[in-house]
Amino acid sequence: MEIIQVAQHADDLDRAAAFYERLLGGPPAARFDPPGLLFFNVGIGRLLLEQAAPSALVYLQVDDVRATTEELRADGVEVTGEPHVIFTHTDDTLGPAGTDEWMSFIRDSEGNTVGLVSHEPRHDP
């Protein structure tokens, strides 16, 4: 079984389209308005931005949390949680063994919190 779609609330589909196109690096896959639906393909699933959907906490994998967070901050995106190591993977249960899981949090154009995640080789102090 795989997740096929995650829905996220969006008041303004044009504003949300611009925000997520920048964040995800590509245009929406489809838009149906009415009834107010905007789709992005993300990995094997879809992100649905919908006016009637409740807010959800979505986590997106990026290549480098620290760099992505700084790029978004420079674009005026609000950072609500600074990049930090959340977990060290000693085995492959939840991520690649021998990596640190980095995470930060941003606020999207619609006021939703979005988590950014990357796995980076562990560097012992």
Side-chain angles (χ1 to χ4, degrees), residues 6-10 20 47-50 53-56 58 108 112-114:
V6 173
Q8 180 68 292
H9 178 77
Y20 279 94
L47 174 61
L48 165 60
L49 298 161
E50 178 182 3
S55 182
V58 175
D108 76 4
N112 302 300
T113 299
V114 176

Side-chain angles (χ1 to χ4, degrees), residues 12-90:
D12 183 320
L13 291 184
D14 291 330
R15 183 176 61 206
F19 181 88
Y20 279 94
E21 186 167 339
R22 161 64 174 93
L23 180 62
L24 300 174
R31 182 175 180 155
F32 302 97
D33 197 14
L37 307 174
L38 179 66
F39 294 89
F40 283 88
N41 290 323
V42 182
I44 60 169
R46 295 183 303 248
L47 174 61
L48 165 60
L49 298 161
E50 178 182 3
Q51 293 168 332
S55 182
L57 182 52
V58 175
Y59 293 82
L60 300 171
Q61 185 172 358
V62 298
D63 290 334
D64 182 331
V65 162
R66 291 170 287 185
T68 301
T69 301
E70 289 311 311
E71 290 168 10
L72 292 168
R73 187 190 323 264
D75 284 348
V77 173
E78 179 186 359
V79 176
T80 61
E82 294 296 329
H84 62 284
V85 174
I86 192 84
F87 190 74
T88 298
H89 297 279
T90 57

Side-chain angles (χ1 to χ4, degrees), residues 86-101 119 122:
I86 192 84
F87 190 74
T88 298
H89 297 279
T90 57
D91 59 32
D92 292 325
T93 303
L94 294 175
T99 63
D100 286 334
E101 186 164 310
H119 296 102
R122 178 150 174 75

